[in-house]
Amino acid sequence: MGEELKVFRTWSSPFALRVVWALKLKGIEYETVYEDLSNKSPLLLQYNPVYKKVPVLLHNGKPLCESLVILEYIDETWKQNPLLPEDPLERARARFWAKFCDDKVAQTIFNGVFLKEGKEQEEAIPLAIENLKHLEKELRGKKFFGGDKIGLVDLALGWLAHYNGVFEEILGFKLIDQENFPLLVKWIQEFANAPVIQDNWPSRDKLVAKFLATRENSLAKQKS
């Protein structure tokens, strides 16, 4: 079709990974443009002047921003291997849980638990566990959040299958274990080992180094 399709991303962004996974699942070819967020390119600032961050999907010269918005655009533009169910109610439910993954799960685990210590971290852990319990309940009777196949919610939560292990390694304790979250543990294994997903994970060692530095810098700023 001669379409121009570019993904502006960083090597480590879990939000950009969602876009990569979606395009791979649909068999869509694209060009990757890697960004250095400490020295953002003029194109990134042009295409995402509001948030100035990745991911950005450039389709035939027209930019789209925000990963969940991009996922829905991809799903509506390329119909093969749908990410959302056909039923309007189920589509709405999938959107709800995808937003929950960003607004609650990611916020409490990353900003609440990972980037805090002491009393603040202790207070954040029960909130993170409560959110994870909602996910555990939602997985009952299903292989993936989308049913038998990977869907929108799985992609929205996909970072958990790799990045949470990185956070746990750095912190020295587990949030997600077999005893308390058997369905979530099984989902993590199923999702992480799916070929399209597995083939696109960033290096774990590099992620550990990056996020260890991120945590140390954040804690230093909080103390200053």
Side-chain angles (χ1 to χ4, degrees), residues 21-217:
W21 290 330
L23 292 171
K24 294 283 188 179
L25 284 168
K26 287 179 175 287
I28 306 300
E29 293 186 2
Y30 64 94
E31 178 184 343
T32 300
V33 180
Y34 285 102
E35 285 286 337
D36 176 2
L37 296 185
S38 65
N39 184 26
K40 299 171 184 177
S41 74
L43 282 179
L44 178 62
L45 299 177
Q46 174 188 337
Y47 293 142
N48 192 358
V50 177
Y51 292 111
K52 303 178 177 64
K53 63 182 183 180
V54 297
V56 173
L57 181 73
L58 188 69
H59 187 202
N60 292 333
K62 297 178 181 179
L64 292 100
C65 308
E66 294 299 288
S67 61
L68 292 182
V69 173
I70 295 171
L71 291 186
E72 291 214 38
Y73 176 81
I74 289 171
D75 205 35
E76 292 174 5
T77 304
W78 295 280
K79 303 296 185 182
Q80 65 271 32
N81 300 323
L83 303 176
L84 281 163
E86 291 186 12
D87 180 73
L89 178 60
E90 291 303 314
R91 291 171 72 89
R93 283 180 56 83
R95 292 186 178 105
F96 169 86
W97 286 111
K99 194 170 189 303
F100 175 80
C101 293
D102 278 4
D103 293 351
K104 294 293 186 178
V105 180
Q107 288 297 318
T108 52
I109 290 179
F110 187 68
N111 293 323
V113 178
F114 183 69
L115 294 183
K116 294 292 189 293
E117 62 181 354
K119 184 179 179 181
E120 286 184 314
Q121 187 185 69
E122 291 175 7
E123 292 173 347
I125 289 173
L127 297 176
I129 290 175
E130 181 182 355
N131 291 329
L132 291 170
K133 285 181 178 178
H134 287 303
L135 296 178
E136 180 78 5
K137 184 178 179 181
E138 182 62 18
L139 273 171
R140 289 176 185 169
K142 295 186 288 189
K143 180 179 180 180
F144 297 109
F145 288 95
D148 292 332
K149 296 181 179 180
I150 292 172
L152 179 76
V153 182
D154 301 286
L155 297 186
L157 192 65
W159 63 270
L160 198 71
H162 194 58
Y163 289 69
N164 187 63
V166 169
F167 300 158
E168 290 178 339
E169 180 178 334
I170 293 170
L171 294 174
F173 63 83
K174 279 186 171 292
L175 281 176
I176 302 173
D177 57 34
Q178 180 68 38
E179 181 179 357
N180 293 303
F181 299 104
L183 299 180
L184 203 50
V185 168
K186 186 176 180 181
W187 171 84
I188 285 173
Q189 293 169 347
E190 293 279 4
F191 182 84
N193 291 327
V196 165
I197 307 302
Q198 188 179 52
D199 291 347
N200 291 283
W201 286 126
S203 162
R204 183 185 176 93
D205 289 343
K206 287 179 66 178
L207 286 177
V208 169
K210 174 183 171 58
F211 283 104
L212 178 59
T214 298
R215 173 173 161 79
E216 291 174 345
N217 290 337

